[in-house]
Amino acid sequence: MRSYKNILGKIDWSIVLLYLILIFVGWINIYAAVYNEDHHSIFDISQRYGKQLMWIGLALVIAFVILLVDSQFFTSFAIPIYAIVLLSLVGVLLFGVETNGARSWFKLGGFKLQPSEFAKFATSLALAKYLSALNIKMKDVKTKVLAAVIIGLPAVLILLQNDTGSTLVYAAFIFVLYREGLSGNILLFGILAILVFVLTLIFGPVNIILTAAFAYIIIYGLLKYDVKTTFIALVAYSGLVYAFFYFELISNILYYSIAGGLFFLVVYLITRKEMRDKSIHYIGVVIFVLTCFYIFSIDFAFNKVLKEHQRTRITVLLGEEEKLVEQIETLKIARDAEGISKEEKQKIRDDIGAKRFSLRELRQGNGWNIKQSLIAIGSGGFTGKGFLDGTQTKFNFVPEQSTDFIFCTIGEEWGFLGTFFLVCIYIALFLRILFLAERQRSIFSRVYGYAVASILFFHFLINIGMTIGLAPVIGIPLPFISYGGSSLWSFTILLFIFIKLDSERLLVLR
Amino acid sequence: MNLSSRKFIVGIIFLVVGIIFIIRLFNVQVLDDKYKSESDHNVLREVIQYPARGLIYDRTGELLVYNEAAYDLMILPKQVKELDTLALCELLEIGKKDFLEKFTKAKKYSRYKPSTFLKEISSVSYANIQEQLYRYPGFFVQTRTLRKYPRKSAAHILGYIGEVNQSVIEERPYYKSGDYIGKSGLEYSYEEMLRGTRGVKRILVDVHNREKGSYRDGAKDTMAVTGTVLHTTLDIVLQEYGELLMKGKKGSIVAIEPKTGEILSLVSAPYYDPNMLVGRAVGKNYPVLSKDTLNPLFNRALMAKYPPGSIFKTVQAMIGLQEGVISENSSFACNKSLVGCHNHPTASSVAASVKMSCNPYYYNVYKRILQQKRAKSIFKDSELGLAIWSKQVKKFGFGQRLATDLPNIKAGYVPDVGFYNRWYGEGRWAFSTIYSLSIGQGEMGVIPLQMANLSAIIANRGYYRVPHFVKNIEGIDTIPQKFKEKHSIDIDEKYINTVIDGMYGVVYEPGGTARRARVHDDVVVCGKTGTAQNPHGEDHSVFMAFAPRDNPQIAIAVYVENAGGGGSWAAPIAGLMIEQYLTDSISTRNKKREEYILKNNYKIPPPY
Ligand SMILES: [Zn+2]
């Protein structure tokens, strides 16, 4: 056994410091978010702030214990830990309690535990173990498939718990795989797919396909023929489209240009190698057809497959409210028109009902939440309203103030200075983890480090993105800050295993 | 490409997201003013929707209590900004010192929760203030209702409402600071039904204190539920008449419908106008009422304990007959050496003894009840006798709190074996020690309601229902089961009829002590006078009666304090009440009596 001094001397104190800053920021902002005049002591354990302090205390104990454990333990037991967590994920499906529509909690006496939180570090360990094994190459199909299985298993089990937010977190592993040799095109493709998805929802499938075609003509024409031919083709195409839309009066040229430009860039990047090939013609057509298919399937999935509440999460983001109001008005006119059959009338009525439901959701549900969240953060101004002086977060305008929307309290009371500081702390933490991951001698430690950074980053991306209207409303906690024992402990474990691995990087070559 | 260089790609993605966030945050928080003004519009105010308190009606459908709108000026200290103190003081017509006091008090209570700043603004100043209020963020007007009593009568029964105190707030979570709660009378007893359920409406107001519509389209609002309407058994005309008769006197009247136990009227004098204890006026009037030496807030009908006096002879007669120690024709000489008496012919029957109210007669009756030779020792014998007697007396509702629907009712007192054992020591007392109980003096205590109930028991020929005020609760359309239950006194009807013969004689036969209680010729009144001894001054005049003799409709007890014998004051008042109730008018013969009663409101200043 090495002495404490030896252990403490080798750990990376800068990460520990960033960690301590974040949990402290979390604690005082939970205090501000759920401040209760009758219990104004920040240590009052009948309130969330008192409880969070208890969770923090326990988290520090957990962190300390992890630092004492030999790092060999994590490499040796990576797979058993993963197996136990998978079992508990199955168990929670059978014996768990349901909260907010997600069956993801174990209840032990007065205590609640969320196994999906712990699946994150277990999956990271398992993936690190697998990718660090001898003769594993990312290029092999078998490696890709097995890595996907390791990541996918917990993700599917969590999806079955009806916890979409936690499932999406597993997408973060794409950064790990990318670093270990997964083709960059896949990362690019993922980003592209998301872009097309959002654009399709905003502008509709037909517009996006027209734009895609426009971009395709430019690329194809320039590479295969010459500028003059391309120009003629474009004029002809534009003329056709213009004629087609003449009576519809679709005029938002700016959006067309942006979408077209993006397509130009993306299609060029993907196909730049293959352009010199003669099969360019067929590949181009295939890409175009696939794109069209994807665009239509987005439209189909969105309107037919997604449930109403999932749809509103996205429509809110896209500012659909006015559109809905307009649609309802149009339908009303259709309903009151003469000479339509009873069945038709009923159908229109049902349609109006559904749209009204969406509107209500928008105004009272997620739409309202996003709007209030933005108002709270925006009203903070440059310097903020001051500690405990927030009005938007005090009066319950913002939902889940101490958990998923804790960033609003920070934004309102500490202003841009506070949010800037916090974003910087996070980015510093992520980059520091990346830096440490790169200096590891063992692949295991590096993969694990990348997993830690990616998971934390993904939470940061979605959570803050959601509160400032850049991401859909997906309820996942802000690491180290949001209220809650399970998430705090899981992030602490996730991070401190890495700190431990890093502290012993020179001792062992794994 | 070297895989290790991919760390830059990942790092750059992280960094780019961070920069995008910072740009977005700078845009939202610093550049864009839209959110700041939105936030100013987003001041949430919880407006409590006070439910209208339940109305109260009398038995004929006359409205006794209703609600009137009142306006309170509320303050939310946190939202108070750029306050022009002087202008606001002028608007509210209060001094600056007063203003600052109220302001400090509100801040002390809470910065985040609204509290009442100024209570019950008149509707004239309300209009004025409402117009100017937009200049004073943090101030707003809340509508509430006040109780109003159009008949200005029955204050002791209806009771009053007042602000909840701290202990209520702590014990009963429904109540919040500033809420009103029934403090006495029916307002207290039926509080939970009358109050209804409070609603909360959340509205958005902007920094200029203007309403901007409801919060979340009212999704979280709750509606106020109006209080239940209460129909009482009171006959307000009779009640007002009773109060008129008792004007300038001390005492009480209780009138009951015997069959049902419904209280028709319950007067306690001196009384006051219930409107005196409404809203802001309370502060001024309550100290006046509570400091008055005549104690107008005290409900004599339920809380004043008197010795039962001669009226109690009717009970002694019934017990004696039931126990078989006397018969209807028992005769005892008026031996004044046993106990004092007035001059009258010898009572040769129970009925005659009731009519003439002979004290020695009941000395003998009581002696026989107590000493039935169940034991050899005279002490033990008395003890056994008293045990039987006090058990029987309690069946009449004496010595216990009648479970009526007004609070703070007294039990009165019926002495029992334990009491005297404690008082004199076991085996150290006998009939001769406690004989004054025979004529309703001594340690016994009754309240006027129990006396009226005794009258109802006799009228019913042997049972009572707990006297009560609730006739119907709207929505439930029933009354509590306890008011429907029959309580039997376990005395045979024939014995009760014997006593009724005597009570008839009291009013109608020569030598009767209450000929002044007679009313309209068609209505036969049976009654019994009494004198409640008062060690502090002149005796109290007491009369108990019911009418008509067959199928009685009203049973009544009247107490007039310091007025001498029962026949002089209490009997005519009872007679007038009975006539008023049964015939809805006062006959010419009784007009003179009425005039006399009204004129002789002796010694006591007029009521409030
Ligand atoms: Zn006598």
Side-chain angles (χ1 to χ4, degrees):
Chain A
M1 272 278 119
R2 288 174 295 277
S3 70
Y4 290 155
K5 203 184 160 195
N6 220 338
I7 296 165
L8 297 181
K10 287 195 172 114
I11 65 174
D12 187 75
W13 283 103
S14 58
I15 286 196
V16 177
L17 181 68
L18 292 170
Y19 167 80
L20 291 175
I21 291 172
L22 288 173
I23 56 175
F24 180 72
V25 166
W27 180 45
I28 60 166
N29 282 293
I30 289 165
Y31 178 65
V34 295
Y35 179 66
N36 181 341
E37 259 193 299
D38 300 332
H39 301 265
H40 50 68
S41 164
I42 197 167
F43 302 107
D44 191 327
I45 59 160
S46 70
Q47 303 297 313
R48 286 196 159 185
Y49 28 94
K51 290 204 180 97
Q52 181 74 0
L53 187 62
M54 282 168 46
W55 308 152
I56 288 174
L58 260 164
L60 293 178
V61 171
I62 292 170
F64 192 69
V65 169
I66 288 171
L67 293 180
L68 290 184
V69 173
D70 194 304
S71 63
Q72 201 76 51
F73 172 84
F74 300 113
T75 50
S76 315
F77 287 90
I79 300 300
I81 290 171
Y82 179 72
I84 289 168
V85 167
L86 281 187
L87 276 176
S88 74
L89 286 176
V90 175
V92 86
L93 279 175
L94 302 173
F95 312 111
V97 288
E98 204 170 301
T99 319
N100 296 333
R103 183 182 284 278
S104 54
W105 296 86
F106 272 130
K107 215 171 167 186
L108 306 162
F111 219 63
K112 289 205 303 186
L113 220 62
Q114 201 176 6
S116 58
E117 284 296 337
F118 299 96
K120 288 170 199 162
F121 84 85
T123 309
S124 306
L125 283 176
L127 189 66
K129 181 79 182 173
Y130 175 66
L131 293 181
S132 63
L134 286 173
N135 298 323
I136 290 291
K137 289 211 169 58
M138 208 61 218
K139 272 189 182 143
D140 298 344
V141 177
K142 189 189 155 211
T143 310
K144 284 179 190 156
V145 170
L146 264 172
V149 167
I150 290 172
I151 299 163
L153 267 178
V156 168
L157 286 171
I158 291 166
L159 189 65
L160 289 176
Q161 292 170 11
N162 206 10
D163 185 353
T164 327
S166 297
T167 307
L168 286 174
V169 171
Y170 289 82
F173 284 106
I174 194 155
F175 290 116
V176 183
L177 299 180
Y178 171 69
R179 170 62 185 81
E180 296 307 313
L182 189 70
S183 161
N185 286 346
I186 294 182
L187 190 63
L188 198 62
F189 187 77
I191 294 169
L192 168 72
I194 293 170
L195 265 176
V196 172
F197 180 81
V198 174
L199 289 172
T200 304
L201 291 180
I202 295 177
F203 303 112
V206 176
N207 291 340
I208 292 303
I209 286 169
L210 289 174
T211 315
F214 190 85
Y216 182 71
I217 290 170
I218 294 175
I219 297 164
Y220 185 72
L222 283 178
L223 292 170
K224 190 78 181 166
Y225 302 99
D226 51 40
V227 180
K228 198 178 147 196
T229 320
T230 310
F231 185 72
I232 293 167
L234 276 181
V235 169
Y237 174 73
S238 303
L240 268 173
V241 173
Y242 183 76
F244 187 70
F245 279 101
Y246 180 73
F247 300 102
E248 303 279 335
L249 289 176
I250 288 178
S251 63
N252 208 329
I253 304 296
L254 181 69
Y255 287 136
Y256 282 101
S257 329
I258 294 171
L262 278 171
F263 262 89
F264 175 78
L265 185 70
V266 160
V267 177
Y268 168 74
L269 287 173
I270 292 175
T271 55
R272 68 189 187 284
K273 273 180 209 153
E274 291 82 356
M275 277 304 173
R276 287 170 209 110
D277 203 299
K278 281 199 175 167
S279 58
I280 168 85
H281 193 75
Y282 305 103
I283 291 170
V285 170
V286 167
I287 289 176
F288 183 69
V289 169
L290 283 178
T291 310
C292 291
F293 184 74
Y294 175 62
I295 288 168
F296 276 117
S297 65
I298 291 168
D299 192 55
F300 178 80
F302 185 73
N303 289 314
K304 301 281 187 299
V305 180
L306 286 187
K307 290 186 192 111
E308 192 65 44
H309 70 272
Q310 291 166 321
R311 196 153 45 218
T312 47
R313 271 185 188 170
I314 297 159
T315 46
V316 165
L317 192 67
L318 306 174
E320 288 273 276
E321 192 174 329
E322 286 83 9
K323 223 189 254 178
L324 268 174
V325 174
E326 215 170 276
Q327 284 171 350
I328 290 174
E329 289 310 311
T330 321
L331 281 170
K332 269 188 190 164
I333 294 167
R335 179 195 61 193
D336 299 335
E338 275 172 49
I340 57 165
S341 71
K342 257 190 180 166
E343 293 81 45
E344 275 175 301
K345 210 165 192 166
Q346 190 53 47
K347 211 177 148 233
I348 295 173
R349 276 210 195 101
D350 292 345
D351 220 10
I352 293 177
K355 290 221 155 52
R356 282 215 175 111
F357 176 82
S358 306
L359 196 62
R360 205 160 50 241
E361 275 285 304
L362 280 180
R363 286 183 175 160
Q364 298 181 0
N366 287 323
W368 165 273
N369 292 346
I370 286 290
K371 190 175 158 202
Q372 297 310 322
S373 165
L374 272 170
I375 290 173
I377 293 171
S379 69
F382 188 72
T383 53
K385 294 179 184 168
F387 186 49
L388 295 185
D389 279 336
T391 54
Q392 303 306 300
T393 44
K394 281 274 148 352
F395 293 108
N396 291 317
F397 283 103
V398 181
E400 307 285 338
Q401 287 161 22
S402 61
T403 55
D404 297 343
F405 281 87
I406 185 82
F407 190 71
C408 293
T409 304
I410 298 169
E412 189 184 13
E413 297 194 347
W414 302 96
F416 178 70
L417 289 180
T419 54
F420 178 77
F421 169 77
L422 190 68
V423 170
C424 288
I425 292 284
Y426 271 118
I427 298 300
L429 177 69
F430 304 151
L431 295 182
R432 182 72 190 163
I433 295 172
L434 285 191
F435 175 79
L436 294 187
E438 286 294 339
R439 78 176 181 187
Q440 301 303 311
R441 285 185 187 173
S442 79
I443 297 174
F444 181 91
S445 299
R446 185 179 69 216
V447 171
Y448 185 79
Y450 263 80
V452 173
S454 306
I455 289 169
L456 294 178
F457 169 74
F458 195 83
H459 277 266
F460 165 85
L461 174 77
I462 295 295
N463 183 289
I464 295 184
M466 163 183 84
T467 59
I468 57 179
L470 295 180
V473 180
I474 293 168
I476 57 176
L478 191 58
F480 310 119
I481 290 194
S482 288
Y483 170 80
S486 284
S487 74
L488 177 63
W489 298 331
S490 99
F491 288 127
T492 301
I493 294 169
L494 187 72
L495 183 65
F496 275 82
I497 289 178
F498 178 66
I499 293 174
K500 179 65 187 177
L501 291 173
D502 174 64
S503 73
E504 293 182 358
R505 68 187 185 278
L506 299 174
L507 294 177
V508 225
L509 185 65
R510 290 178 194 93
Chain B
M1 190 161 59
N2 182 359
L3 284 184
S4 143
S5 70
R6 289 189 168 186
K7 68 187 173 202
F8 296 115
I9 305 279
V10 177
I12 285 167
I13 291 174
F14 289 3
L15 207 57
V16 164
V17 167
I19 291 167
I20 290 174
F21 279 5
I22 287 168
I23 291 171
R24 170 75 173 165
L25 283 165
F26 190 73
N27 197 20
V28 167
Q29 295 191 286
V30 183
L31 297 182
D32 200 336
D33 280 333
K34 185 173 85 193
Y35 301 108
K36 274 162 222 75
S37 66
E38 285 258 21
S39 149
D40 291 341
H41 289 207
N42 246 0
V43 180
L44 185 63
R45 179 184 300 153
E46 288 193 347
V47 176
I48 299 195
Q49 304 290 99
Y50 284 103
R53 211 174 157 84
L55 303 179
I56 303 180
Y57 289 95
D58 91 334
R59 65 190 293 117
T60 60
E62 284 296 318
L63 186 60
L64 302 182
V65 189
Y66 70 99
N67 304 299
E68 205 178 66
Y71 309 97
D72 287 349
L73 183 67
M74 307 294 290
I75 180 172
L76 188 54
K78 181 144 180 43
Q79 290 171 13
V80 175
K81 265 184 223 158
E82 295 154 23
L83 184 61
D84 184 348
T85 317
L86 274 178
L88 186 57
C89 282
E90 213 163 278
L91 179 66
L92 302 177
E93 293 164 1
I94 57 172
K96 194 175 171 186
K97 203 180 142 218
D98 194 18
F99 176 90
L100 288 176
E101 254 170 43
K102 287 179 196 296
F103 192 61
T104 317
K105 197 181 149 208
K107 270 203 292 199
K108 237 183 198 168
Y109 166 70
S110 169
R111 288 185 65 215
Y112 299 99
K113 288 183 224 157
S115 56
T116 313
F117 191 76
L118 204 61
K119 265 186 204 166
E120 286 160 48
I121 312 161
S122 71
S123 35
V124 180
S125 36
Y126 165 67
N128 207 0
I129 290 171
Q130 183 72 347
E131 233 168 65
Q132 301 280 320
L133 214 53
Y134 70 93
R135 296 180 197 207
Y136 307 100
F139 288 89
F140 62 99
V141 171
Q142 181 145 337
T143 315
R144 226 161 27 81
T145 58
L146 291 177
R147 289 304 237 185
K148 280 282 161 185
Y149 307 88
R151 307 298 294 238
K152 301 187 170 68
S153 171
H156 292 108
I157 302 163
L158 300 170
Y160 59 93
I161 58 172
E163 260 184 62
V164 285
N165 53 34
Q166 197 53 40
S167 64
V168 173
I169 296 171
E170 276 159 21
E171 281 159 28
R172 301 167 71 179
Y174 174 84
Y175 295 95
K176 307 232 176 316
S177 175
D179 276 358
Y180 279 67
I181 188 171
K183 296 262 185 186
S184 73
L186 295 174
E187 297 276 20
Y188 173 90
S189 302
Y190 293 98
E191 163 67 16
E192 272 168 34
M193 296 173 193
L194 289 171
R195 77 174 180 211
T197 309
R198 188 199 306 108
V200 178
K201 203 170 143 192
R202 291 171 175 83
I203 53 171
L204 298 169
V205 288
D206 64 13
V207 276
H208 303 298
N209 219 16
R210 282 180 297 230
E211 295 190 5
K212 285 282 159 194
S214 60
Y215 173 65
R216 292 198 159 195
D217 282 353
K220 299 255 165 128
D221 290 359
T222 51
M223 293 286 286
V225 180
T226 309
T228 310
V229 173
L230 193 67
H231 292 270
T232 66
T233 60
L234 220 56
D235 182 319
I236 193 63
V237 176
L238 186 66
Q239 177 74 16
E240 283 173 341
Y241 187 60
E243 287 179 9
L244 180 71
L245 294 174
M246 291 302 286
K247 196 169 168 183
K249 304 169 186 68
K250 275 199 289 180
S252 56
I253 303 174
V254 180
I256 300 174
E257 184 178 77
K259 265 196 237 47
T260 57
E262 293 176 358
I263 299 175
L264 303 168
S265 146
L266 184 139
V267 178
S268 173
Y271 45 86
Y272 59 94
D273 178 351
N275 293 301
M276 287 177 77
L277 292 184
V278 170
R280 208 149 47 146
V282 176
K284 195 180 77 199
N285 292 330
Y286 190 84
V288 176
L289 291 174
S290 63
K291 278 181 197 142
D292 191 319
T293 50
L294 296 173
N295 210 350
L297 292 172
F298 182 69
N299 187 351
R300 289 174 158 74
L302 301 184
M303 298 163 83
K305 234 162 67 175
Y306 304 97
S310 296
I311 291 172
F312 196 63
K313 287 167 184 161
T314 56
V315 176
Q316 299 289 41
M318 285 184 270
I319 297 175
L321 288 166
Q322 186 71 28
E323 286 293 305
V325 296
I326 54 166
S327 72
E328 284 159 45
N329 295 315
S330 291
S331 174
F332 298 99
C334 182
N335 182 354
K336 294 195 181 70
S337 65
L338 298 174
V339 54
C341 198
H342 53 105
N343 289 323
H344 60 88
T346 299
S348 56
S349 70
V350 170
S353 75
V354 169
K355 180 183 83 180
M356 292 180 272
S357 197
C358 178
N359 290 341
Y361 190 98
Y362 283 93
Y363 179 94
N364 285 307
V365 171
Y366 193 44
K367 188 174 179 180
R368 288 196 181 182
I369 295 171
L370 289 204
Q371 301 185 345
Q372 295 191 30
K373 304 222 165 48
R374 288 188 178 88
K376 274 184 191 147
S377 150
I378 184 174
F379 300 108
K380 192 73 199 161
D381 197 19
S382 291
E383 211 179 285
L384 291 170
L386 186 75
I388 292 166
W389 175 84
S390 72
K391 195 178 153 203
Q392 180 61 55
V393 171
K394 283 178 182 164
K395 284 185 187 165
F396 283 83
F398 293 121
Q400 53 177 296
R401 269 178 234 270
L402 287 169
T404 186
D405 41 7
L406 284 194
N408 302 324
I409 184 172
K410 290 279 183 290
Y413 193 71
V414 175
D416 54 15
V417 173
F419 174 79
Y420 288 119
N421 280 346
R422 280 194 301 277
W423 193 255
Y424 297 109
E426 201 175 337
R428 299 179 67 175
W429 57 272
F431 166 73
S432 56
T433 329
I434 59 169
Y435 72 92
S436 55
L437 282 177
S438 59
I439 54 167
Q441 305 291 355
E443 290 77 14
M444 205 125 163
V446 300
I447 60 166
L449 181 70
Q450 285 168 336
M451 266 326 197
N453 192 40
L454 171 62
S455 175
I457 291 168
I458 298 171
N460 285 336
R461 273 71 171 174
Y463 73 88
Y464 71 94
R465 289 191 166 90
V466 173
H468 57 270
F469 289 98
V470 58
K471 190 152 177 72
N472 189 27
I473 299 167
E474 245 175 47
I476 309 173
D477 288 328
T478 182
I479 59 168
Q481 183 59 32
K482 64 176 180 179
F483 298 139
K484 294 184 189 163
E485 273 160 19
K486 249 185 183 179
H487 298 266
S488 172
I489 57 162
D490 300 325
I491 302 270
D492 293 353
E493 196 176 327
K494 60 183 175 190
Y495 301 138
I496 299 171
N497 279 325
T498 304
V499 170
I500 291 174
D501 287 342
M503 287 172 69
Y504 174 81
V506 168
V507 183
Y508 293 98
E509 286 171 6
T513 51
R515 295 166 66 91
R516 289 183 197 177
R518 270 187 267 181
V519 293
H520 195 274
D521 288 340
D522 298 342
V523 178
V524 179
V525 178
C526 298
K528 179 75 191 84
T529 55
T531 305
Q533 281 186 346
N534 176 15
H536 310 295
E538 191 133 6
D539 289 346
H540 306 316
S541 174
V542 191
F543 187 65
M544 157 191 104
F546 65 87
R549 177 175 178 159
D550 299 315
N551 190 18
Q553 297 301 310
I554 178 170
I556 191 166
V558 178
Y559 277 73
V560 184
E561 290 185 10
N562 316 112
S568 54
W569 289 92
I573 289 175
L576 290 166
M577 288 290 284
I578 290 170
E579 190 168 61
Q580 170 64 40
Y581 180 65
L582 293 179
T583 67
D584 253 339
S585 61
I586 300 299
S587 57
T588 26
R589 181 171 58 186
N590 271 345
K591 273 287 177 198
K592 267 198 168 157
R593 270 183 208 147
E594 184 187 45
E595 210 174 288
Y596 172 76
I597 301 268
L598 293 180
K599 215 163 52 192
N600 289 278
N601 41 6
Y602 61 104
K603 292 176 227 160
I604 294 177
Y608 297 92

